[in-house]
Amino acid sequence: MKKILFSAAVILLYSQNIKACGWYDPDYEYFNLFTQSIIKDKTYLPFLLTYSNRFYGHEHYEIPDENIETWQKFFGNKLHYQETKNLIYKIPMSDLNAYKKGNSSNPILAKLGTYQNNYEAIDYLIEAKYLEPYMQINYVESPDSFYYRENENPKNATLLDYNKTVSALTSLYNAAKNPEIKLRYGYQLVRFNHYTRNYPQAVEAFSKYVEPLNLKSSPYFWALDQLAGAQRGLNRGKEANWNFFKVFINSKSRRESAFTSMKLSDSASFKNIMDLSKTPEEKNMAYFLLAYDGFNNPLPMMEKMNEVDPNSEMLKVMAARAINQLERSYLKVYYPNEDTPQNQSIQEKNSTAQTSENKAPEAKNESFWDKISNFFRNLFGSKKENKASERNNNQSDKDLLKNPNRIPFYTEEQAWVNYKETTVNFIDDLEKFIEKTKDKSPDEFWQIADAYVKFLNKNHSESSKILNEIKTQNPEYAEQINRMKMLNEIVSQPKITPEFEDTLYKKYASFFSEQDKKDSTVTDQFYYPKPSTSDFLKDVLANRYFLQGEDAKSYLMNNKLSFLQYSPDSKLVKSVEDFYRKPNKNAFEQLIAKNLDDVGNKDAFFNLIYGDREMKLANFEKAKEYYQKVTNFSGIPRVYYDWDGSKESISPLVYEEGNYNGFKNISSLVFGHNVWESFESPKEVSMKAENLTAFPFIKSNMNKLELADALIQLKKMSTGNDATAAKASQLIGNLMYNTSVLGYFRELFVMDIDNSNGGKFNFWAPEQPYQYYYKNFMDQNFVKPDNFDLAINYYQKALNLTTDKEEKARILFQMASAEQGKYYQYEAQQPGIPYDDKDWEKKQETRDANLAATKNQKYRTYFTQLKNGYADTETARHLMGSCSYFGYFMKRK
């Protein structure tokens, strides 16, 4: 049994940010709102777009087996499909022999009638079941092979007596009277010779036993598949490719293997296929393979396919793939904020963001009079340009609709099919192509595709108009149409008003309420459900609320209240609290408010965050006011996630007595100083207590209210001019430093339960790391940077009032440590050198030298004072032994 402690949010993290896990599936990175599988000919499902597997859909769809269908017809449809499949593939040879002797109890065989009426078919099946375990080519291990296969698939065709087997199959072929059974024996002869690597004999067997029958049922194409394999073995690649191509066209169950077997790695191979293609179907299939094999911008090949046959099912496959490829760039599960340049501010990033319909205008040369005209137009004009950085509820519908951060929009990314090429936004060309094709083809697929591409292009009114005009009896088409009508209605809404929230609740409440997202088709506990239509709608509303400045609703569309522990930003927390306290929430807001119910006492949770922030700012009186309202606090919400391989369970963390839970059980060592810097060591090892005899109100174990009260008393005492005031100032300085990102107790005021490393303890983060919505909120881990000057100011007063030289040395070292924190903050904000820069090493050396110079010139004030005035103290000598950098600094000339 494995047990891991997580936050209450971590389970949702698995479904939102799968890339962070060891297992990763690119098909989980988009919503699949256009269902590719609505194509009518399901035998082409494997060739729809997927980046996760070689072929699409095996986990959900079974391709019909034409071999089973042929047998079903042969037996006069006495058996249904599944019964026929069991007869051919599952019923053991012993049952067939018993049936032959007239004593079988198998109900499927009983439905066939007597053996005498089916003797040729039954005798063939007995022979086929005998041969089947051996029907694979003998694998010859290369001496340089990486894998060891000694006991893998021990049976192969070479274990059968060659002459005896060929003789038996030939005799059975000659004795068979039914041409279909003859054809199957011919197939076995070709296959056996292929798998024993008797390639010339396989080619001869096809010519002698298969072709003369002039039957083109499924066994013929299975035999042709074996012939092509033998031709490949004879290095007759041109003939092999053509025969595999014919199998690809005609055999539903062999289509994938035929595609894999074709060697179409150069233009000459494709030209040969095209030259041999005579019928429109063959030509279209050749274009299809060419487009499929090099799929980046499919339009050129689709145009050629359209010229041959606009009703081609392969053309619909290509269109579905094209739409799916675009959808992956438009409807992303997560729009990362890192797409913009590293050193731009959030405002700069927003103002430079562009979409396919909001491209930056080309630069033009303005005349002198143009400049004068523009100056006065800007000075007196009332028209205001839209700014992506503007987020409030007073924007016009026009401004909201034109906001470049309004999702969905196109984002370029590396194509999974070819890492050297980037994806191409061919949406406008695809729209024109579909408009042209739908006028030629009666299939409603093209109208649906046209409406969907217009939806991606944000032409919602035209998309809705097309959808309303479609008449179809196809249930898959109808489901797609209804989904798209809903998407258009929601996504096209300029502003999410209370009136529209009422519409959302009445028509679509089920999409926004909590649902069981477990995918029943997946049994592996480490596979997670694919993003759904519901998830997409939540993202859209989260984005709309974000642009409208309604941060609380935007946040709660994708997050639980407990997630605020990861980025306890006071402004966002206040927005969420205001929503929580909002009276008379409408029905849709009550749905959203369900995400507030995972922290126990919500008032305590909010006030703890506010109190912690005031403590970081040294506003101890204000912090006490908040902490006084923290009652019945059950602890920072965390859970245990347990699994033992067969089952999993989630249980809330119950804090043990004496453990820190976010509010209580704080040691008085928080006023002490480091003995050595080790966050992993027990506090009694890393920290040393100060002399607290003059401060009896400091308890050895405190909650945050008691801690704030102690700090208030210390603050009053620090206003004096005696040794007590000096010590009180030093203790406050110690606490401010010890609870900073550098301190042993750094978790105390950032909503964490221990000091283990994590994103909260970075030295710098952008104050507003969100650009589109608050999705993947936990990934940001934003905490406002420490103000190290607060600690330094208290230390300075302690230094001024202290007369003991040893104590002064200690205080100066603490001041130097806080100053070091200021340097780390400065360094973290300096741009790095990209690794792909051809002069990286030289530029990195220059950068390091500049940083070192700045550090020594601006951030070594107190180290210098300590070195110059206190090098002879015992404290300094001890610090040189425990702090390697200080020792290095003291020895420098």
Side-chain angles (χ1 to χ4, degrees):
M1 165 101 42
K2 295 180 180 179
K3 179 177 285 190
I4 294 181
L5 176 64
F6 287 118
S7 74
V10 82
I11 307 306
L12 182 61
L13 173 62
Y14 285 157
S15 62
Q16 285 188 340
N17 195 18
I18 300 170
K19 190 180 294 187
C21 305
W23 167 82
Y24 171 59
D25 186 341
D27 279 357
Y28 281 58
E29 283 208 322
Y30 78 114
F31 294 99
N32 194 27
L33 298 186
F34 182 85
T35 307
Q36 295 185 87
S37 58
I38 64 173
I39 60 172
K40 290 179 179 177
D41 190 343
K42 304 304 182 186
T43 66
Y44 287 104
L45 287 176
F47 299 92
L48 295 171
L49 188 65
T50 174
Y51 295 153
S52 301
N53 303 295
R54 185 65 178 91
F55 296 102
Y56 172 87
H58 285 285
E59 67 273 26
H60 299 298
Y61 305 103
E62 182 179 355
I63 302 300
D65 188 338
E66 71 269 22
N67 181 43
I68 303 302
E69 295 171 344
T70 303
W71 275 114
Q72 195 176 4
K73 182 179 179 181
F74 182 89
F75 287 121
N77 294 312
K78 293 177 183 178
L79 306 177
H80 59 63
Y81 182 89
Q82 188 58 47
E83 289 174 326
T84 310
K85 187 175 181 179
N86 289 339
L87 171 63
I88 304 306
Y89 296 136
K90 293 187 177 181
I91 291 178
M93 190 166 54
S94 58
D95 279 18
L96 296 181
N97 280 318
Y99 174 69
K100 186 174 182 177
K101 295 175 182 178
N103 55 9
S104 171
S105 60
N106 190 293
I108 293 178
L109 293 170
K111 293 178 71 172
L112 292 177
T114 64
Y115 163 75
Q116 287 72 23
N117 291 334
N118 302 285
Y119 73 93
E120 282 198 331
I122 298 302
D123 287 349
Y124 170 77
L125 287 174
I126 291 173
E127 180 68 15
K129 286 178 183 287
Y130 167 73
L131 293 173
E132 191 59 33
Y134 300 93
M135 286 302 102
Q136 53 193 344
I137 203 161
N138 62 316
Y139 180 81
V140 180
E141 189 76 55
S142 166
D144 299 323
S145 291
F146 179 77
Y147 295 104
Y148 181 67
R149 305 172 184 266
E150 181 181 1
N151 298 316
E152 185 178 331
N153 298 326
K155 291 185 178 181
N156 63 73
T158 62
L159 298 179
L160 296 171
D161 184 287
Y162 177 80
N163 293 325
K164 184 178 178 180
T165 303
V166 170
S167 178
L169 287 172
T170 304
S171 177
L172 289 166
Y173 176 92
N174 291 328
K177 296 180 175 59
N178 190 298
E180 285 285 346
I181 301 300
K182 268 187 181 297
L183 180 60
R184 292 184 180 278
Y185 283 122
Y187 156 67
Q188 295 288 359
L189 280 162
V190 179
R191 179 168 73 153
F192 178 66
N193 277 293
H194 174 209
Y195 286 166
T196 54
R197 287 193 167 87
N198 289 291
Y199 301 134
Q201 292 86 341
V203 174
E204 182 184 357
F206 186 87
S207 299
K208 186 175 181 179
Y209 300 111
V210 175
E211 278 190 314
L213 297 174
N214 200 27
L215 291 174
K216 296 297 177 69
S217 58
S218 62
Y220 170 82
F221 293 105
W222 286 31
L224 187 65
D225 188 40
Q226 296 296 324
L227 170 65
Q231 289 170 331
R232 177 81 66 217
L234 293 169
N235 295 318
R236 290 156 61 176
K238 183 176 179 180
E239 297 170 80
N241 276 347
W242 176 245
N243 285 324
F244 279 130
F245 181 72
K246 288 192 288 186
V247 174
F248 181 87
I249 295 177
N250 294 283
S251 178
K252 295 179 289 188
S253 61
R254 285 288 194 267
R255 191 162 280 156
E256 291 179 29
S257 65
F259 175 83
T260 303
S261 298
M262 276 186 278
K263 305 295 184 183
L264 303 176
S265 57
D266 53 56
S267 58
S269 301
F270 277 109
K271 186 177 185 304
N272 174 59
I273 294 290
M274 186 59 68
D275 290 343
L276 292 172
S277 298
K278 304 302 180 186
T279 67
E281 182 185 21
E282 289 174 343
K283 290 182 180 296
N284 253 351
M285 190 65 78
Y287 285 130
F288 171 80
L289 291 176
L290 180 58
Y292 181 88
D293 205 49
F295 198 76
N296 189 25
N297 182 353
L299 265 299
M301 288 300 104
M302 290 173 65
E303 291 284 1
K304 292 182 180 296
M305 294 173 72
N306 189 43
E307 292 173 7
V308 176
D309 181 11
N311 293 310
S312 166
E313 194 69 16
M314 292 94 76
L315 184 57
K316 295 168 196 167
V317 173
M318 292 305 301
R321 285 173 58 89
I323 291 172
N324 187 276
Q325 181 179 340
L326 284 173
E327 183 180 316
R328 290 168 186 264
S329 292
Y330 274 93
L331 310 182
K332 298 178 71 65
V333 171
Y334 178 55
Y335 291 84
N337 297 321
E338 292 77 20
D339 287 346
T340 45
Q342 176 184 357
N343 298 320
Q344 284 182 304
S345 67
I346 293 296
Q347 289 76 18
E348 289 172 329
K349 290 177 182 180
N350 289 335
S351 63
T352 57
Q354 301 293 336
T355 69
S356 60
E357 60 182 2
N358 276 318
K359 296 183 175 67
E362 295 183 3
K364 60 180 180 179
N365 294 323
E366 291 184 316
S367 69
F368 174 77
W369 294 110
D370 286 333
K371 294 178 181 179
I372 295 294
S373 176
N374 289 336
F375 172 78
F376 284 103
R377 186 182 297 115
N378 293 332
L379 185 62
F380 298 108
S382 59
K383 185 176 179 180
K384 180 178 63 176
E385 291 185 5
N386 172 267
K387 294 182 180 179
S389 58
E390 184 176 4
R391 297 200 305 116
N392 60 62
N393 213 3
N394 300 320
Q395 300 173 75
S396 68
D397 287 356
K398 185 177 181 180
D399 282 344
L400 287 168
L401 288 171
K402 285 187 175 182
N403 194 307
N405 288 344
R406 180 182 175 90
I407 65 174
F409 55 82
Y410 182 82
T411 55
E412 187 174 287
E413 59 183 338
Q414 286 296 109
W416 282 85
V417 288
N418 189 339
Y419 287 98
K420 295 181 180 179
E421 297 179 12
T422 56
T423 52
V424 176
N425 188 10
F426 50 83
I427 191 168
D428 294 333
D429 291 337
L430 180 62
E431 185 173 358
K432 293 174 185 176
F433 175 85
I434 292 174
E435 288 175 345
K436 176 176 60 179
T437 307
K438 75 175 183 178
D439 294 334
K440 297 180 182 180
S441 174
D443 195 326
E444 300 97 334
F445 170 89
W446 294 105
Q447 295 168 276
I448 296 172
D450 189 25
Y452 191 81
V453 171
K454 286 179 167 57
F455 161 74
L456 290 182
N457 239 345
K458 300 184 181 180
N459 190 349
H460 302 293
S461 58
E462 189 63 25
S463 177
S464 297
K465 180 181 177 181
I466 295 169
L467 293 170
N468 290 328
E469 293 175 350
I470 300 176
K471 308 297 181 185
T472 183
Q473 301 300 316
N474 185 313
E476 289 186 301
Y477 285 2
E479 181 180 352
Q480 180 68 38
I481 290 167
N482 289 333
R483 183 192 298 122
M484 289 168 60
K485 286 180 178 179
M486 173 191 64
L487 292 173
N488 273 317
E489 180 178 8
I490 295 177
V491 176
S492 64
Q493 187 69 17
K495 180 181 293 187
I496 309 303
T497 62
E499 294 74 21
F500 189 68
E501 287 176 336
D502 185 58
T503 299
L504 288 171
Y505 181 77
K506 290 178 179 178
K507 296 176 67 173
Y508 310 118
S510 62
F511 285 95
F512 303 101
S513 58
E514 289 298 320
Q515 299 174 357
D516 182 8
K517 294 184 63 179
K518 187 173 182 180
D519 188 343
S520 61
T521 65
V522 177
T523 57
D524 191 327
Q525 63 177 316
F526 293 105
Y527 276 66
Y528 302 94
K530 289 187 176 181
S532 65
T533 302
S534 174
D535 295 320
F536 172 73
L537 294 177
K538 289 178 181 179
D539 282 2
V540 168
L541 289 185
N543 172 253
R544 303 302 187 259
Y545 285 130
F546 185 85
L547 299 181
Q548 292 170 205
E550 297 184 61
D551 286 351
K553 292 181 183 179
S554 177
Y555 171 83
L556 291 170
M557 291 306 304
N558 297 122
N559 301 285
K560 299 284 189 180
L561 176 57
S562 64
F563 296 12
L564 286 173
Q565 65 181 280
Y566 291 94
S567 296
D569 177 64
S570 300
K571 183 179 178 182
L572 176 59
V573 174
K574 184 63 170 64
S575 178
V576 175
E577 185 194 14
D578 289 344
F579 176 76
Y580 156 62
R581 300 191 187 282
K582 179 184 177 183
N584 303 318
K585 294 182 182 71
N586 63 36
F588 187 73
E589 289 174 329
Q590 291 176 31
L591 278 180
I592 301 174
K594 290 182 178 180
N595 278 337
L596 292 167
D597 299 331
D598 70 329
V599 299
N601 188 311
K602 289 183 274 294
D603 290 328
F605 184 79
F606 285 120
N607 281 293
L608 180 61
I609 292 177
Y610 296 142
D612 285 350
R613 182 58 189 156
E614 295 300 334
M615 289 289 271
K616 295 281 279 186
L617 296 173
N619 296 329
F620 308 127
E621 296 82 4
K622 190 65 177 176
K624 180 179 179 180
E625 292 179 18
Y626 286 120
Y627 288 150
Q628 285 174 330
K629 302 173 185 177
V630 179
T631 57
N632 301 319
F633 181 66
S634 55
I636 295 174
R638 298 292 170 98
V639 298
Y640 275 117
Y641 180 65
D642 299 1
W643 71 88
D644 61 7
S646 60
K647 62 181 179 179
E648 58 190 48
S649 63
I650 304 170
S651 57
L653 170 64
V654 178
Y655 289 87
E656 296 181 4
E657 188 65 29
N659 285 358
Y660 175 68
N661 74 342
F663 183 72
K664 63 182 181 179
N665 295 318
I666 302 169
S667 169
S668 60
L669 283 171
V670 73
F671 290 105
H673 60 265
N674 284 93
V675 176
W676 71 321
E677 185 151 330
S678 173
F679 291 107
E680 295 81 12
S681 300
K683 55 182 178 291
E684 294 81 7
V685 175
S686 288
M687 303 297 294
K688 182 178 180 180
E690 300 284 354
N691 184 355
L692 302 178
T693 54
F695 314 101
F697 50 83
I698 297 179
K699 301 178 181 179
S700 60
N701 185 288
M702 298 168 282
N703 62 35
K704 286 185 175 178
L705 178 59
E706 293 168 331
L707 179 61
D709 187 67
L711 284 161
I712 292 171
Q713 295 187 58
L714 286 172
K715 186 177 178 180
K716 291 179 180 177
M717 297 172 73
S718 71
T719 59
N721 293 304
D722 54 9
T724 301
K727 195 63 179 180
S729 297
Q730 183 182 1
L731 293 178
I732 297 174
N734 282 354
L735 177 129
M736 297 303 297
Y737 176 80
N738 290 335
T739 57
S740 74
V741 64
L742 288 174
Y744 183 87
F745 295 93
R746 59 185 178 179
E747 76 275 12
L748 285 190
F749 303 133
V750 295
M751 289 293 284
D752 212 338
I753 63 174
D754 59 45
N755 64 18
S756 56
N757 202 22
K760 286 183 179 179
F761 305 128
N762 292 328
F763 283 94
W764 181 83
E767 189 165 346
Q768 170 54 289
Y770 308 99
Q771 190 172 350
Y772 308 111
Y773 46 17
Y774 290 102
K775 191 172 184 179
N776 283 42
F777 182 78
M778 294 177 296
D779 290 353
Q780 305 297 338
N781 283 282
F782 171 72
V783 176
K784 288 186 177 180
D786 294 292
N787 183 353
F788 285 100
D789 284 329
L790 293 172
I792 290 173
N793 290 341
Y794 277 104
Y795 281 137
Q796 185 65 60
K797 182 164 187 178
L799 183 68
N800 294 340
L801 294 176
T802 299
T803 57
D804 182 84
K805 194 172 184 180
E806 293 290 342
E807 196 65 27
K808 280 180 173 287
R810 163 59 59 187
I811 294 171
L812 276 170
F813 181 78
Q814 292 298 107
M815 296 174 77
S817 299
E819 190 178 39
Q820 180 80 353
K822 294 178 66 175
Y823 169 74
Y824 289 145
Q825 290 175 338
Y826 162 81
E827 183 184 61
Q829 297 180 60
Q830 305 313 302
I833 309 300
Y835 285 112
D836 58 356
D837 191 307
K838 60 185 179 68
D839 296 322
W840 180 85
E841 186 173 0
K842 181 178 180 181
K843 291 181 179 178
Q844 185 65 31
E845 289 177 358
T846 302
R847 180 181 185 273
D848 291 343
N850 290 336
L851 288 174
T854 301
K855 177 167 56 177
N856 290 317
Q857 293 168 12
K858 296 184 178 181
Y859 297 97
R860 287 295 174 262
T861 308
Y862 305 109
F863 267 143
T864 301
Q865 290 183 32
L866 184 56
K867 177 180 179 179
N868 292 339
Y870 301 89
D872 59 340
T873 62
E874 184 63 31
T875 300
R877 284 192 289 271
H878 174 74
L879 289 171
M880 288 175 64
S882 61
C883 177
S884 58
Y885 182 82
F886 179 64
Y888 165 76
F889 185 86
M890 292 290 284
K891 294 174 184 177
R892 288 176 56 199
K893 295 182 180 180

